[in-house]
Amino acid sequence: MTRKKTSKPAVKKTTRARKSQTVGESIIQGLKEAIAWTKGENDNVRVTLVNVPKVDVRKVRLKMGLSQAQFAAKFGFPPATLRNWEQGRSHPDAPTRVLLAVIAKHPKAVEDVLRKAS
């Protein structure tokens, strides 16, 4: 009786279960990747760019039939800031423009959230 010899691979590959990251480790890794990307060191990252809309604050306010004071009070903006936006002396930053865009489309939703928060 002859036995067949079976050859074993020269290199044994092992698959190791990948340790799942904690939330903190994931955040740190993401920050390191972001820093590397801004330095031009890492092209292998996913970058999401968001186009934040420009909002005509006066148009939104007038459509709602509110005075500057009423609009400012209802949505938590300083009245002077609202006046400056409407008169073009300053402009809302990106996060504020997002909020203003939501107010323009869904004012009742924003009012509801603000009412429940206070």
Side-chain angles (χ1 to χ4, degrees), residues 10-115:
V11 177
K12 185 176 182 181
K13 291 184 179 182
T14 59
T15 56
R16 191 180 340 173
R18 195 171 181 183
K19 181 184 167 200
S20 63
Q21 290 182 322
T22 65
V23 173
E25 290 169 336
S26 177
I27 292 170
I28 290 169
Q29 179 185 346
L31 289 172
K32 286 179 180 177
E33 289 174 3
I35 291 167
W37 182 78
T38 58
K39 292 179 179 178
E41 297 171 359
N42 186 357
D43 291 340
N44 235 2
V45 295
R46 183 180 68 192
V47 178
T48 304
L49 299 176
V50 177
N51 183 19
V52 179
K54 292 193 183 225
V55 178
D56 184 340
V57 182
R58 185 172 190 272
K59 185 177 176 182
V60 172
R61 178 181 62 77
L62 291 175
K63 183 179 175 186
M64 296 177 72
L66 299 173
S67 68
Q68 287 179 339
Q70 291 169 325
F71 187 88
K74 184 176 285 248
F75 297 109
F77 298 115
T81 301
L82 185 64
R83 276 192 301 277
N84 288 333
W85 292 340
E86 289 190 12
Q87 294 173 5
R89 287 193 294 262
S90 65
H91 303 283
D93 61 6
T96 305
R97 288 196 323 267
V98 170
L99 174 58
L100 289 166
V102 175
I103 290 170
K105 297 241 186 218
H106 306 286
K108 296 291 183 199
V110 177
E111 290 174 41
D112 184 46
V113 168
L114 292 174
R115 187 174 31 259

